[in-house]
Amino acid sequence: SFTFDPSVGDIFVSFFTGATLCIANRNITTTQLPRVIEMCSASHVVTTPALMSLFQSTSNNRLIIPPCLRFLALGGEAMSERLIRDWKNSGSNTRLFNVYGTTECVIYQTIFEHNAKPMTPIILNNIGRALSGTHLELINVGQDGVGEIVIKGDQVCQRGYLNRTELSSKKFIGDSYHT
């Protein structure tokens, strides 16, 4: 959806690299995504794990990934173990990535590529490594390993939320490189 903030990256990367950008009707995309990918011969797709359920075959419950698809980045929610396992077992040559980003920053801040080899362990909840120009810091990490991520770098919105000074002062702490 062009209202989803990562779409800005998808749109401009397509234009700057000379790729073809396919924008389909939302009703078709949310019910027939594999068909749209095949019709457009899309090689790169960025979507959510929930929409990956559209790749499930009803006859044998396996993922059917269009052969033209080479790069599949999923973000916006956690990937399930089943989704990753089904992708590994699909026989597809499509590379699968988990991408993470917050609205307060520009598009994505991290990326993690899953290993396609069926016998390798499935790694859940790994948001990957910081992209170039991004600095990550984990703070307030508890015994359970859960904490907060502080994102620093040029892509962090420097002015905070529009007309929401109080919220900005809570969420944006000082200079994006040194705090």
Side-chain angles (χ1 to χ4, degrees):
S1 169
F2 63 87
T3 58
F4 187 45
D5 51 331
S7 69
V8 174
D10 303 339
I11 292 167
F12 285 101
V13 165
S14 297
F15 290 151
F16 291 136
T17 60
T20 300
L21 178 66
C22 299
I23 299 175
N25 175 296
R26 183 175 179 86
N27 292 334
I28 294 170
T29 304
T30 57
T31 58
Q32 301 176 42
L33 183 58
R35 182 169 169 242
V36 171
I37 291 169
E38 286 185 273
M39 288 173 54
C40 296
S41 296
S43 60
H44 292 64
V45 171
V46 181
T47 190
T48 62
L51 282 177
M52 279 298 295
S53 65
L54 298 174
F55 289 82
Q56 290 286 355
S57 166
T58 53
S59 63
N60 63 7
N61 207 30
R62 289 181 55 109
L63 283 182
I64 306 296
I65 300 176
C68 58
L69 189 59
R70 296 189 329 253
F71 179 100
L72 177 60
L74 302 179
E77 61 197 34
M79 286 188 216
S80 70
E81 182 175 352
R82 178 180 178 192
L83 184 148
I84 299 167
R85 184 181 57 250
D86 288 352
W87 165 75
K88 284 175 167 274
N89 295 328
S90 71
S92 171
N93 290 323
T94 302
R95 296 169 65 193
L96 179 65
F97 296 86
N98 184 26
V99 291
Y100 173 80
T102 65
T103 301
E104 295 78 14
C105 297
V106 179
I107 320 301
Y108 299 115
Q109 290 79 61
T110 70
I111 190 165
F112 175 77
E113 183 172 6
H114 287 275
N115 190 321
K117 296 176 184 165
M119 299 310 289
T120 57
I122 291 175
I123 299 173
L124 293 175
N125 304 322
N126 188 329
I127 62 169
R129 295 183 181 270
L131 296 173
S132 179
T134 302
H135 305 278
L136 301 176
E137 184 180 331
L138 295 175
I139 62 170
N140 302 325
V141 179
Q143 296 276 350
D144 58 0
V146 175
E148 296 178 67
I149 300 173
V150 175
I151 303 170
K152 303 174 185 182
D154 291 334
Q155 80 288 4
V156 177
C157 297
Q158 300 299 314
R159 296 183 182 169
Y161 300 107
L162 182 63
N163 299 325
R164 301 196 62 194
T165 308
E166 188 176 322
L167 181 59
S168 294
S169 66
K170 288 179 185 175
K171 301 292 182 181
F172 293 87
I173 45 178
D175 138 358
S176 66
Y177 270 112
H178 304 290
T179 59

